[in-house]
Amino acid sequence: MSVGGKLKDKLKDKKVLVTGVTGFVGEALLHRIIGELPGTTVVAIIRPKGSMTGTDRMAQLLRKDIFKPFYGEGTEYADAEALSAARIQVIDGDLSDVPELPKDLDIVVHCAGDVSFDPPIHEAFTTNVLGTKSLLERIVETGRQVHYVHISTAYTAGRRRGAIPEAPVDHFVDWRTEAEAGMAMKSRIEEQSRSAPMLAKFRKEAEKLHRRAGHLTAAADTERRRTEWVAKRLVETGTERARSLGWTDCYTFTKALGERVVEEFSGKLPTSIVRPAIIESALQSPHPGWIEGFKMAEPLILAYGRGELPEFPASPDSVIEIIPVDHVVGAICAVMATEPELSKPEYYHIGSGARNPLTFEQLYAGVRAYFSKHPFDLGERGAVRLPVWKFPGGDSVESMLRYGERAHKIADKIITTIPRGERTRKYARELDVQKRRLDFLRRYMDLYSEYAQAELQFIDDNVLALHNALEGDDKEKFACDTAVVDWQYYLQELHCPSVTESMRRLDVVRKKRNKALAESAGVLKKVEPSEAKVVAAFDMDGTLLSSNVIETYLWMRLPELDGPQRAGEIGAMLRKLPKLIAAERKDRGTFLRTIYRRYAGADLEELNQIVDEILAEHVLERLSGAAVRRIREHRAAGHKTILITGAVRPLTRPLEPLFDEIVAAELAVDDRGRCTGFLSGPPLVGESRAAWLKHHARQTNIDLSKSYAYADSHSDLPMLSAVGNPVAVSPDVSLFRAARAARWQIVDWKTPSTSSRLELPGVNAR
């Protein structure tokens, strides 16, 4: 175990293979080797990504700020490419298919792995178990006694309590059996998702939301729900299998089984197993506070700073095993210089709890003190109000979360059934924010509750011995004694400032964007002329007019009836209203046909005359001024304007001057010109509007990617999706949410205040 001598001398002329070099620990290790071990050469296995080769990704990595001091003017290397050529050999490859390795390797440091706490079970086994096995087999093929350094995790100890020795984890699990079962889970769960009961469940859920839009829209959402279910079940299966065998999650479970694989190979290769605890930002190197990406604690710190983490399911005196990344790297470098015996793996815990414990209460105090001095700014609402944690226990926190989830479910059901309006959309937006917070809390409570309530003490005698064996300034360059860390200084002056810096920058950008959105709320982008043929398609009811089919039917029918008949017709409609609303939510085409059956016996020419003489003025009064301006802008830009509506043709007559083409429901008539109660063809609703628009575009050479569509209802989702410039106009809650998710423009076209929804035009005119 003894290091013996300066590390740069011990590791001089050594060729070290590093996996996971583009990850957090791998990047820090590469930085330390280049900076402090000048005689050491690195071989890096890097997975190609998209069009980038492994060499391209290494070049991109070396252009980061932490590597710039190693090249440029006044240094040995002119640029990143020269540095890479002199010190680094890149091999394109992946753990799923490890390439042949150089025959002159001296050390392999295996940093790569699936570090997510909740990976799908088959992915965790692929990387953490089978990938490790493939790498070891390739190392053995070199025929050399390569020192294999395996980077694991301290939490391979699982759900044990008390002191955890630097030794093999005592368990009875056969890694081969578990790997075979874990890899088979994907096909088994995929098959289960395609069973008739499951498909029926997904379809019914999708149709409940999308039936008005159409079958294909519902079908697409059905498949989305199925694939999401598969992904969720793969994660849940991994978690439950891990916990059933005594581990916290699939990550620690597969890392523990990966250690078993390593231990089997230790008879062929001298082996060291390094088990870091929770790796966080650097204490000193590459620079104080350096961190890449979000690790374990960062989402919780940020959520607390934003006032979104009201409690945490930890005991205040429980220890959280945090370790700065530079201490991890220092220990790895010291381990690289050791010479373990065959069949006797050396184990190293890199933690802080044994000699310098940080409790959750101390962590909370440090984070709270930082945000009290440096709060997030919520703009007009001022500084965030920080939650006060009382540490009520995991069961109490779970009860609070379940209550919030139930309350949200009830509120969301209500919001989707009440009449639309600006206030309704405001409530929907607030509920969506609350849902994101609840989902965040649920995910992280489920992930971290095991760690928060763990009572583990990782013995780190071997790492301390390594640190004490370091000579001269190596004790500073490769420090790995966590007893020196002042946790309150670390949290308040280094870690929290680093993890909040990027978020504060994003907040500045977000505020500017929100300000711009607020200033342009309800204001449409300027319509530019286009060389391509462009259409602007408009819905009518709810988009151009504050009206609905029942209203417009009464406008048309009441003027030709006498007093008693009018009262009877209104009464009949009121009695049928609940059934009509239910029908409209289920199938808009059926709903329209039900309404239009009541035109049976009406004279079509008389209906046209009623519209021209009585209703035209009323329709135009209900027309939104913003809508008229927008239509005229499109016509001025040379775009073809089309009205696509499920309303009957006579009602569109007042709007004919505004549009180049009107597509409406055609009332069928008999040989006397009287309405039969049927339509001459299916009404254009839901997906049929999108189909008509696409067919029209093919026939007339129109570029839909540059075209526009305006609608207010979720049933119009297919039509809006068919164009490049969709606009949701005073949308219902379902369309509002879809538009926000797709980042479509949302506007509110107001109806003139002179019009009233209770007004029935022309009832005394005939």
Side-chain angles (χ1 to χ4, degrees):
M1 187 191 301
S2 175
V3 176
K6 299 292 288 291
L7 289 189
K8 70 176 182 180
D9 297 327
K10 291 279 291 183
L11 296 172
K12 185 179 180 181
D13 299 325
K14 300 292 185 182
K15 181 173 280 191
V16 181
L17 172 70
V18 181
T19 67
V21 75
T22 58
F24 182 40
V25 174
E27 183 179 337
L29 178 60
L30 178 65
H31 177 272
R32 191 73 61 89
I33 292 173
I34 292 174
E36 304 296 346
L37 301 174
T40 305
T41 301
V42 173
V43 179
I45 296 180
I46 303 179
R47 180 179 70 250
K49 194 174 184 179
S51 61
M52 296 182 69
T53 64
T55 301
D56 294 334
R57 294 187 67 194
M58 174 58 74
Q60 185 182 60
L61 178 66
L62 292 178
R63 283 193 286 270
K64 290 186 176 183
D65 288 344
I66 64 170
F67 292 100
K68 288 180 179 178
F70 300 142
Y71 57 83
E73 188 175 347
T75 66
E76 184 179 353
Y77 307 105
D79 50 30
E81 286 71 18
L83 172 64
S84 180
R87 300 289 306 276
I88 303 166
Q89 176 185 345
V90 177
I91 300 175
D92 282 21
D94 185 76
L95 289 180
S96 62
D97 185 19
V98 179
E100 184 177 349
L101 304 180
K103 303 298 184 183
D104 56 348
L105 292 176
D106 299 293
I107 302 167
V108 171
V109 182
H110 182 30
C111 294
D114 195 325
V115 298
S116 168
F117 289 151
D118 58 347
I121 187 170
H122 67 293
E123 292 182 8
F125 272 101
T126 297
T127 303
N128 294 338
V129 180
L130 301 180
T132 296
K133 176 176 177 289
S134 297
L135 177 63
L136 286 162
E137 289 171 341
R138 285 296 195 185
I139 297 171
V140 171
E141 286 177 5
T142 66
R144 290 171 60 89
Q145 291 288 291
V146 176
H147 180 190
Y148 177 73
V149 182
H150 184 76
I151 311 304
S152 185
T153 173
Y155 290 95
T156 53
R159 305 173 94 177
R160 291 167 174 78
R161 295 193 172 194
I164 307 299
E166 292 171 291
V169 177
D170 183 19
H171 67 80
F172 57 85
V173 180
D174 180 72
W175 70 263
R176 289 178 174 83
T177 300
E178 292 302 319
E180 182 179 356
M183 295 301 292
M185 278 297 167
K186 187 175 192 309
S187 59
R188 289 177 61 184
I189 291 174
E190 182 76 27
E191 183 179 357
Q192 185 181 355
S193 75
R194 296 173 186 273
S195 67
M198 293 305 302
L199 290 174
K201 175 179 177 292
F202 302 138
R203 178 180 56 80
K204 288 175 182 177
E205 289 173 350
E207 288 178 349
K208 185 177 181 181
L209 178 62
H210 295 292
R211 59 168 59 101
R212 294 176 65 212
H215 294 298
L216 294 182
T217 304
D221 192 54
T222 299
E223 180 61 11
R224 178 190 64 80
R225 290 170 187 271
R226 188 193 68 80
T227 55
E228 287 182 357
W229 181 86
V230 169
K232 184 178 180 182
R233 282 301 301 272
L234 286 168
V235 170
E236 291 173 346
T237 300
T239 299
E240 290 305 321
R241 184 53 180 159
R243 291 180 179 174
S244 74
L245 292 170
W247 279 274
T248 54
D249 48 47
C250 193
Y251 166 68
T252 58
F253 172 46
T254 54
K255 291 295 280 188
L257 298 188
E259 285 191 11
R260 277 290 187 267
V261 176
V262 174
E263 288 157 1
E264 287 187 8
F265 276 83
S266 65
K268 300 176 182 179
L269 300 170
T271 300
S272 301
I273 296 177
V274 179
R275 295 171 176 159
I278 300 169
I279 308 173
E280 296 294 350
S281 59
L283 189 65
Q284 292 292 337
S285 176
H287 59 76
W290 178 80
I291 192 169
E292 289 275 312
F294 285 173
K295 309 307 168 192
M296 181 173 181
E298 288 66 60
L300 303 179
I301 289 173
L302 293 171
Y304 178 82
R306 290 187 171 279
E308 298 173 354
L309 196 62
E311 269 295 353
F312 195 65
S315 299
D317 57 356
S318 292
V319 172
I320 178 169
E321 290 270 358
I322 284 178
I323 181 78
V325 65
D326 45 344
H327 280 214
V328 175
V329 170
I332 292 172
C333 290
V335 169
M336 285 162 51
T338 64
E339 298 177 357
E341 299 178 24
L342 284 176
S343 301
K344 291 185 178 180
E346 298 284 359
Y347 297 83
Y348 301 90
H349 281 155
I350 312 177
S352 57
R355 290 177 297 106
N356 186 16
L358 171 67
T359 66
F360 274 96
E361 195 282 328
Q362 291 170 329
L363 173 66
Y364 162 68
V367 173
R368 183 176 178 82
Y370 169 76
F371 282 113
S372 295
K373 294 178 183 177
H374 311 284
F376 281 123
D377 183 9
L378 292 181
E380 294 180 357
R381 290 182 287 169
V384 172
R385 186 174 181 178
L386 298 175
V388 177
W389 286 2
K390 297 181 179 179
F391 296 100
D395 291 343
S396 295
V397 174
E398 174 65 22
S399 296
M400 292 165 53
L401 182 55
R402 285 183 179 175
Y403 175 80
E405 290 170 335
R406 286 196 298 268
H408 178 274
K409 188 175 182 179
I410 293 169
D412 191 63
K413 188 173 183 179
I414 293 171
I415 203 72
T416 56
T417 57
I418 63 177
R420 75 177 71 180
E422 195 170 350
R423 182 174 296 180
T424 302
R425 290 190 290 274
K426 176 177 176 291
Y427 292 150
R429 187 163 48 243
E430 291 172 352
L431 278 175
D432 291 345
V433 170
Q434 188 66 22
K435 179 67 162 59
R436 285 194 294 272
R437 290 177 179 173
L438 288 168
D439 288 346
F440 169 86
L441 291 174
R442 169 56 64 196
R443 181 169 189 269
Y444 283 97
M445 292 299 178
D446 289 347
L447 282 177
Y448 292 163
S449 60
E450 290 282 337
Y451 294 88
Q453 299 175 59
E455 296 183 7
L456 300 169
Q457 185 183 55
F458 300 115
I459 304 303
D460 61 349
D461 293 346
N462 290 348
V463 171
L464 181 60
L466 280 179
H467 176 81
N468 290 335
L470 294 172
E471 297 183 1
D473 59 358
D474 275 3
K475 281 197 174 181
E476 181 180 346
K477 292 179 179 178
F478 301 96
C480 48
D481 179 9
T482 54
V484 303
V485 181
D486 179 337
W487 289 118
Q488 292 308 310
Y489 171 81
Y490 175 82
L491 289 169
Q492 296 180 48
E493 302 299 327
L494 301 181
H495 190 58
C496 287
S498 293
V499 301
T500 58
E501 179 185 5
S502 60
M503 191 60 64
R504 293 183 194 278
R505 288 199 302 267
L506 284 174
D507 279 347
V508 172
V509 174
R510 192 178 294 112
K511 285 176 185 176
K512 290 181 179 178
R513 185 186 66 192
N514 290 343
K515 182 180 179 182
L517 288 174
E519 291 174 350
S520 62
V523 178
L524 286 162
K525 299 173 184 176
K526 184 179 179 182
V527 176
E528 300 290 348
S530 173
E531 294 181 1
K533 288 185 178 180
V534 171
V535 297
F538 293 80
D539 174 46
M540 189 175 84
D541 289 330
T543 303
L544 303 181
L545 305 172
S546 59
S547 58
N548 57 57
V549 172
I550 295 176
E551 276 186 288
T552 53
Y553 164 75
L554 292 174
W555 294 353
M556 293 272 286
R557 288 293 277 158
L558 295 185
E560 66 172 354
L561 303 177
D562 58 26
Q565 289 174 321
R566 290 172 192 154
E569 187 67 18
I570 293 173
M573 293 301 294
L574 288 174
R575 287 191 299 274
K576 292 185 177 182
L577 193 58
K579 289 185 177 180
L580 290 172
I581 292 174
E584 199 269 345
R585 288 176 178 166
K586 186 175 181 180
D587 186 299
R588 186 162 177 80
T590 301
F591 164 73
L592 292 177
R593 289 182 173 95
T594 301
I595 296 295
Y596 296 158
R597 285 294 294 270
R598 302 188 70 82
Y599 280 108
D603 186 281
L604 182 59
E605 283 304 317
E606 188 171 354
L607 291 178
N608 288 333
Q609 187 178 356
I610 289 172
V611 171
D612 293 342
E613 296 179 0
I614 301 174
L615 296 185
E617 183 178 353
H618 183 72
V619 170
L620 295 175
E621 282 180 355
R622 300 286 287 269
L623 194 60
S624 166
V628 174
R629 287 191 295 272
R630 172 53 40 156
I631 296 167
R632 288 172 177 167
E633 287 172 5
H634 279 293
R635 301 194 81 171
H639 303 166
K640 181 178 181 179
T641 57
I642 303 176
L643 178 64
I644 304 180
T645 178
V648 294
R649 172 72 64 177
L651 269 170
T652 67
R653 292 168 68 86
L655 304 179
E656 288 177 356
L658 292 171
F659 293 97
D660 298 308
E661 185 169 354
I662 293 178
V663 183
E666 303 286 355
L667 292 168
V669 295
D670 58 20
D671 53 9
R672 298 177 299 158
R674 291 196 171 274
C675 298
T676 63
F678 302 107
L679 299 174
S680 60
L684 283 185
V685 295
E687 290 167 353
S688 61
R689 292 190 180 186
W692 184 93
L693 200 56
K694 291 174 182 178
H695 177 67
H696 183 72
R698 288 191 296 268
Q699 282 188 319
T700 56
N701 197 27
I702 286 169
D703 187 349
L704 286 181
S705 69
K706 295 181 179 178
S707 294
Y708 299 74
Y710 302 82
D712 69 304
S713 172
H714 184 258
S715 64
D716 291 311
L717 189 61
M719 182 178 77
L720 293 170
S721 300
V723 300
N725 298 289
V727 182
V729 180
S730 306
D732 59 25
V733 169
S734 296
L735 179 59
F736 175 70
R737 286 173 166 167
R740 278 171 57 84
R743 297 186 180 277
W744 292 346
Q745 192 170 12
I746 301 172
V747 297
D748 197 17
W749 285 348
K750 303 291 185 182
T751 301
S753 58
T754 55
S755 63
S756 169
R757 300 208 68 146
L758 299 177
E759 182 181 355
L760 295 174
V763 294
N764 297 317
R766 296 175 68 89

